[in-house]
Amino acid sequence: MRRCFLLLLFLAPVSAFAELDISDAWIKNLPAAVPVRAGYMTIHNPQSHAVSIVALRSESFASVELHRRLMQDGMMRMEAVPDLTVNPGETVQLAPGGLHLMLMQPVEPTRPGELHRIVIEFDDGSQQGLEMTVRK
Amino acid sequence: MNKSSIVIVAALALAVGFALSWFVASNKPVALESGTWFGDQARALPEFELLDHNKQPLTRASLEGKWNLIFFGYTHCPDICPASLQTLSEMMGSIEDPDVTGALRVYFVSVDPERDRPEVLSEYVRYFDPAFIGATAEMDRLKPLTRSLGIAHQIRNRVEGNPVYDVDHSSAIVLVNPQAEFAGLFGAPQDAMAMARDMTRIVEYN
């Protein structure tokens, strides 16, 4: 019981405000020689107010950023997205070839099937945790 | 020479001319569903020398005898490059005719030679398909090849001593015919099944 309570205490700061409905969150696996991974998910805002993601972090990666792929001068280019606002009722897709998470320097080589915990920070200071599955 | 023999000679010359142009033009016209074909007006590649992931030279002559699909990218690209290589792997897996798959070869050419050493390339390409070949070369050796194929690429936000920087690059897959000539392009985003049908058509028809 006591262990359970401690566990709840540990989880509370990141799960108290599940502001966004996040589904199908996954990480594209790559061989260990490559120190970056892309992450994808579907984000829906069920709130009556806009929600802005201002930072991401994970204990499994040195840093996590939002990136967008765009086409410029006939070339594909990656651009960091400093914040992402999801309007009330809006659904944003993070999908291959578009908006995605850039997960840099895995602490350990990733393997398909693993779960990695990511924490999303919002502009009002609240946070939300989620699990992302590594896929081949 | 009478009038009718002039007509016969002219007709013969015309026929020889057509036959010759058919012979000189490398490949026959093929209508593709997912790419652009110009194999019937294919352009010879310049001489080049890259190093493959087994540290063996990869030259224009290495491309002869097979239909080659070449994707230019870099391993530190987690989004678009894995998607293209995955598509190429699925394309190979969905072609049932072994004569067709046996006639194809897939290359991943890195435009980030500093980070993509042969060992990194080896692990990277084999992750997608053990038969894929990774290769790269220093920029001055790489540029003549990429330029001749219309593949643009540049390194951006490079700070001396910092291993983190960006590489912009064209995302088309280049088709090189068995005569080592530039014969077609598959623009992004590529579709594995459509490419499989197109490559089957190309190999069987030519």
Side-chain angles (χ1 to χ4, degrees):
Chain A
M1 187 62 208
R2 188 166 164 192
R3 249 168 66 191
C4 209
F5 179 71
L6 282 175
L7 188 68
L8 278 175
L9 261 186
F10 174 72
L11 291 174
V14 285
S15 56
F17 302 98
E19 297 238 40
L20 298 172
D21 289 341
I22 296 178
S23 54
D24 199 25
W26 63 284
I27 295 168
K28 166 75 188 155
N29 195 41
L30 285 177
V34 181
V36 283
R37 305 283 179 273
Y40 307 103
M41 62 185 77
T42 301
I43 304 174
H44 175 70
N45 181 3
Q47 314 290 341
S48 54
H49 57 272
V51 173
S52 288
I53 297 173
V54 294
L56 296 130
R57 62 188 154 81
S58 171
E59 286 183 3
S60 307
F61 300 90
S63 63
V64 185
E65 291 177 5
L66 257 171
H67 280 217
R68 188 188 305 278
R69 193 204 69 179
L70 47 97
M71 189 79 164
Q72 202 167 326
D73 305 325
M75 290 182 275
M76 291 293 179
R77 159 177 289 202
M78 295 298 171
E79 194 181 65
V81 178
D83 50 68
L84 175 71
T85 299
V86 188
N87 290 315
E90 191 190 3
T91 300
V92 175
Q93 291 280 355
L94 272 62
L99 201 59
H100 57 274
L101 294 193
M102 179 93 160
L103 306 135
M104 284 170 273
Q105 293 168 39
V107 173
E108 284 181 47
T110 52
R111 277 188 299 267
E114 282 176 349
L115 289 175
H116 289 281
R117 189 170 176 76
I118 309 289
V119 177
I120 300 176
E121 295 176 18
F122 301 107
D123 59 343
D124 64 358
S126 64
Q127 302 180 340
Q128 177 173 348
L130 75 136
E131 303 281 348
M132 298 188 77
T133 312
V134 179
R135 288 197 209 152
K136 171 95 172 85
Chain B
M1 201 185 273
N2 63 29
K3 209 171 176 180
S4 66
S5 57
I6 290 174
V7 170
I8 290 168
V9 168
L12 269 175
L14 206 65
V16 168
F18 269 120
L20 207 64
S21 72
W22 185 257
F23 182 74
V24 169
S26 308
N27 311 116
K28 296 170 197 164
V30 185
L32 302 186
E33 60 180 290
S34 67
T36 310
W37 170 257
F38 33 88
D40 41 335
Q41 296 152 35
R43 213 170 58 224
L45 298 190
E47 290 291 347
F48 63 87
E49 186 174 332
L50 314 182
L51 204 61
D52 77 11
H53 72 248
N54 293 316
K55 301 183 185 171
Q56 297 302 309
L58 176 76
T59 64
R60 188 176 73 174
S62 321
L63 302 182
E64 288 172 1
K66 299 272 183 188
W67 288 92
N68 308 277
L69 288 163
I70 312 174
F71 179 70
F72 293 84
Y74 65 113
T75 68
H76 284 55
C77 151
D79 180 52
I80 188 79
C81 300
S84 293
L85 287 167
Q86 191 97 31
T87 299
L88 285 164
S89 165
E90 284 166 18
M91 176 205 76
M92 290 300 267
S94 67
I95 299 175
E96 283 169 18
D97 185 347
D99 289 344
V100 175
T101 48
L104 302 182
R105 238 176 345 213
V106 175
Y107 291 92
F108 173 75
V109 173
S110 170
V111 293
D112 182 14
E114 199 174 317
R115 289 186 296 198
D116 290 340
R117 310 312 305 166
E119 312 78 59
V120 176
L121 278 175
S122 168
E123 201 181 322
Y124 188 74
V125 293
R126 286 190 295 122
Y127 179 80
F128 296 96
D129 193 316
F132 287 3
I133 300 161
T136 194
E138 296 308 319
M139 279 300 171
D140 55 338
R141 285 177 166 230
L142 203 53
K143 278 273 164 72
L145 174 65
T146 54
R147 203 175 292 132
S148 76
L149 297 169
I151 296 292
H153 56 101
Q154 68 176 14
I155 285 174
R156 199 163 41 89
N157 299 335
R158 181 89 172 93
V159 180
E160 196 57 45
N162 186 348
V164 180
Y165 53 88
D166 299 311
V167 184
D168 301 341
H169 60 97
S170 302
S171 52
I173 294 171
V174 167
L175 176 65
V176 173
N177 70 17
Q179 295 80 42
E181 297 165 329
F182 184 18
L185 267 181
F186 293 91
Q190 294 95 7
D191 179 86
M193 299 310 283
M195 276 191 79
R197 289 189 291 270
D198 280 341
M199 288 315 300
T200 303
R201 219 167 277 147
I202 290 169
V203 173
E204 286 178 350
Y205 194 58
N206 276 288

